[in-house]
């Protein structure tokens, strides 16, 4: 879309469109390379911090479904009854 607008604004020309396409590709490639280099240089989180975060999340969400058992869309729990017959 950018290239079409550029081409129609300058009266057209295949050479101008190709130059605009090359400039866009070069900018995109430079951005991708910069993002890759930044990601490679980032230090990973220490294992202790990862364990603590996972443990904290587990503690926060352990009983989340039981906060409102009568909420819309939740099935009602089954009442205790006779055990189901099993093959024996």
């Amino acid at each position: 879309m950018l290239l079409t607008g550029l081409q129609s604004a300058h009266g057209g020309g295949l050479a101008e469109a190709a130059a605009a396409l090359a400039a866009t590709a070069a900018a995109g490639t430079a951005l991708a390379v910069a993002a890759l280099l930044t990601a490679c240089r980032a230090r990973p989180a220490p294992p202790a911090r990862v364990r603590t975060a996972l443990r904290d999340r587990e503690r926060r969400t352990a009983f989340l479904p039981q906060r409102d058992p009568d909420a819309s869309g939740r099935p009602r729990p089954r009442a205790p009854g006779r055990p189901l017959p099993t093959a024996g």
Side-chain angles (χ1 to χ4, degrees):
M1 189 159 119
L2 176 67
L3 295 176
T4 306
L6 186 72
Q7 185 177 5
S8 65
H10 289 103
L14 190 56
E16 290 178 5
L21 180 62
T24 304
T29 303
L31 184 63
V33 168
L36 182 64
L37 290 174
T38 303
C40 290
R41 289 183 183 155
R43 291 185 295 162
R49 182 178 294 171
V50 173
R51 280 193 307 269
T52 303
L54 290 174
R55 183 175 43 240
D56 289 347
R57 183 172 35 170
E58 181 182 340
R59 286 179 183 163
R60 281 193 313 265
T61 59
F63 298 104
L64 187 61
Q66 297 178 4
R67 284 185 183 172
D68 189 8
D70 294 327
S72 133
R74 292 233 173 106
R76 296 290 300 157
R78 291 183 55 175
R82 295 187 322 214
L84 296 173
T86 58

